[in-house]
Amino acid sequence: MSTPNERSQSRLEQRQWQLLLIPAVIAVAWFAILASQRVGYEFELEWMEGALADHAARIVNGEPIYCAPTPEHVPFLYAPLLFWLGGGLMALGLDGLLALRLIAVVSSVGVAMLIGHWVRKETGRVIPGLVATGTFCAGYGWLFWWYDLARNDSPFLLAMLACAYALRHGGRHGWWVAALLATVGVLAKQSAAMWLPAIGIGALILDWRQGLKFGFAGVGAILVALGVMHLSSDGWSTFYLFEMPTHHGSVAENRLGFWTRDLWPMLPLVVLGVAGFAIRCRGEHLRGALFLAAVGSGGLVTSWLSRIHVGGFDNVLIYGFASACVLGTAGAFHVRAQWLLILQFGFLFWFDFRPDRMRVALPTEAHAEAHRELADYVRKQPRDVFLPGHGYITARAGKPACAHGQAIFDLMQVLPRLPNGMLDVLVLADEQRLATMSPRVREALVSYRDGMIRAMTTKSYSAIVLDTQLAGSFKYMFALAIDGPDGKPNTPDDFYRRRPGFVISKPRALNALVGYEAHSPFAYEAR
């Protein structure tokens, strides 16, 4: 169902839209220049990228993603699409980080192009569509250069926007295309469950017959996909994707902070989207306006709920921002307020070219050298190395992967909390208390605990390498290795001893450009 606007434009309006092409072209060029330099970087730009490459490598090796946790692999709470696609590219010979980043870049380019095409369809004009594409690219720096990282946000966003577009402009067969894309969205990131209800309501308003077909087909396809995953993983996929997240807390300050702190850089787009809705929700355009409002509000709410969740970094703002790029740019055309887009570009360029953002755009040679030193240390160890802070390093050094610190932290969230809010890790050694937990939670904790005990007592790891920031969190986990059965450090029964100093010459240089701070690694080496 296409609803292009055929109203005439004054010469002044045309000139203003043409002038807006200048910042749009700058934004697109800036994204292309930086992304081309970042995509092939051989080490982590963000602290979880390497671990996601380790996950994708399991596809190549024929190993399951979702399974009982072990010291070698604790699954992330992420849906599998990125790992499947990345594993396919790795099977063709691509490096893991390059494969995943290529998926992210292609997805982000797809999002930018889809936004521009969608705005062209809504306005009947090409230039507003080009400006919308540039506006999305201008958000690159604001969102900490996330568009090209080896993460699953860009594929997820592309699937969700394409799903909504198929319902709006896909014609009489758009419902089944949208249902397929909705399933892809869920397989990319389970956050789709927050956005799809809004899209479904919009679809019912737009065309209730098409909406019903989309609803039944989409829900059915999603249930089949999740059911197959559940059965093929013996229920572990459901545990990681849906049960474990319920044990995670929320960030109270982000409930209001999202609206007062996070939203303002895209405020002009939001204002223009609301104004465009007010203009368009009259007469024949009412249904289309309500559909777009549902899609846009769903994107914002998905960003808000994701931001509240523990671990919700600035990247989750991309969902609301991409929606606002569609609604806001189209709204600027309808209300003849394209001058507000100049302010929007100004906000976003302020982030793009701020010195503190520029410092985390491109890695330094010291950053690369720190990773090479760490990989060299791992390579020289006679046996495996436990390295939870930097994924894919052990694989590059020719050794098995190990569980990532974030995945281990996520798993530990199922533990009860002490009155001071800290996790009660002593439950891991208390069989009676473990018996009170759900069977799957108990099985997961026992599997990981027993695997770590076995690895430490047999000294299967030549070294346990911890970043300084992770040492406190892992204190109790490695107590047996460090203190031995007698529970006292520096006694003959200790399995491991602290290696003096750090394992690399410039410890702080190891820190990832964005994400959790993890650097200054030291090692406990087998006695």
Side-chain angles (χ1 to χ4, degrees), residues 268-527:
L269 286 175
V270 175
V271 170
L272 287 169
V274 172
F277 168 75
I279 291 292
R280 299 281 286 173
C281 68
R282 300 171 186 170
E284 61 178 297
H285 300 301
L286 174 62
R287 292 180 183 274
L290 288 172
F291 175 79
L292 292 175
V295 173
S297 60
L300 278 176
V301 169
T302 301
S303 289
W304 177 51
L305 294 176
S306 300
R307 192 73 162 122
I308 291 172
H309 191 272
V310 169
F313 190 57
D314 296 51
N315 61 294
V316 301
L317 304 179
I318 193 175
Y319 319 139
F321 175 61
S323 304
C325 286
V326 175
L327 274 69
T329 312
F333 177 86
H334 296 312
V335 302
R336 303 173 187 265
Q338 54 274 2
W339 60 270
L340 265 178
L341 293 176
I342 299 174
L343 181 62
Q344 180 63 76
F345 275 111
F347 282 172
L348 297 175
F349 281 164
W350 184 74
F351 284 97
D352 285 339
F353 302 109
R354 267 172 49 179
D356 61 327
R357 296 294 170 111
M358 288 299 298
R359 281 195 294 271
V360 299
L362 294 173
T364 63
E365 178 55 32
H367 184 265
E369 183 58 32
H371 282 81
R372 293 189 195 103
E373 278 191 65
L374 180 58
D376 189 55
Y377 173 82
V378 172
R379 190 178 297 109
K380 290 178 179 177
Q381 300 306 305
R383 298 186 301 282
D384 298 345
V385 174
F386 190 82
L387 178 64
H390 305 278
Y392 211 48
I393 290 286
T394 56
R396 283 238 175 86
K399 297 184 183 296
C402 75
H404 191 265
Q406 182 63 56
I408 297 170
F409 173 79
D410 289 339
L411 174 63
M412 293 300 117
Q413 298 305 299
V414 302
L415 292 170
R417 293 185 178 271
L418 297 168
N420 62 3
M422 300 296 290
L423 294 172
D424 189 358
V425 295
L426 296 180
V427 171
L428 291 171
D430 190 331
E431 296 295 341
Q432 289 186 336
R433 295 180 67 185
L434 283 171
T436 64
M437 297 180 171
S438 71
R440 188 43 58 99
V441 167
R442 182 173 66 254
E443 184 179 0
L445 291 174
V446 169
S447 175
Y448 183 74
R449 179 200 67 185
D450 291 352
M452 286 303 308
I453 291 174
R454 184 165 52 253
M456 289 184 288
T457 56
T458 60
K459 300 182 187 178
S460 63
Y461 293 115
S462 290
I464 297 169
V465 181
L466 299 177
D467 294 280
T468 299
Q469 296 74 20
L470 297 179
S473 301
F474 284 79
K475 175 182 177 182
Y476 294 103
M477 189 173 298
F478 297 108
L480 176 62
I482 299 166
D483 300 336
D486 67 358
K488 298 177 182 179
N490 302 315
T491 57
D493 71 339
D494 296 352
F495 295 109
Y496 291 80
R497 62 183 175 186
R498 172 74 181 266
R499 179 183 187 271
F502 300 109
V503 299
I504 58 177
S505 57
K506 294 182 179 179
R508 295 184 65 88
L510 189 67
N511 197 41
L513 275 62
V514 295
Y516 183 76
E517 186 173 329
H519 57 75
S520 304
F522 59 90
Y524 291 100
E525 297 179 336
R527 292 174 67 99

Side-chain angles (χ1 to χ4, degrees), residues 222-236:
I222 290 169
L223 289 177
V224 168
L226 295 179
V228 170
M229 288 172 54
H230 178 88
L231 294 174
S232 62
S233 67
D234 192 27
W236 284 109

Side-chain angles (χ1 to χ4, degrees), residues 68-127:
T70 66
E72 294 74 32
H73 177 67
V74 175
F76 278 118
L77 313 183
Y78 294 150
L81 182 65
L82 180 66
F83 310 137
W84 292 344
L85 296 176
L89 292 178
M90 290 174 71
L92 297 176
L94 270 68
D95 174 76
L97 285 174
L98 175 61
L100 268 60
R101 289 196 192 122
L102 282 175
I103 294 167
V105 169
V106 170
S107 297
S108 292
V109 170
V111 168
M113 294 177 65
L114 178 58
I115 286 172
H117 180 67
W118 196 338
V119 170
R120 184 187 70 79
K121 294 284 283 187
E122 296 296 332
T123 62
R125 300 290 190 277
V126 172
I127 291 181

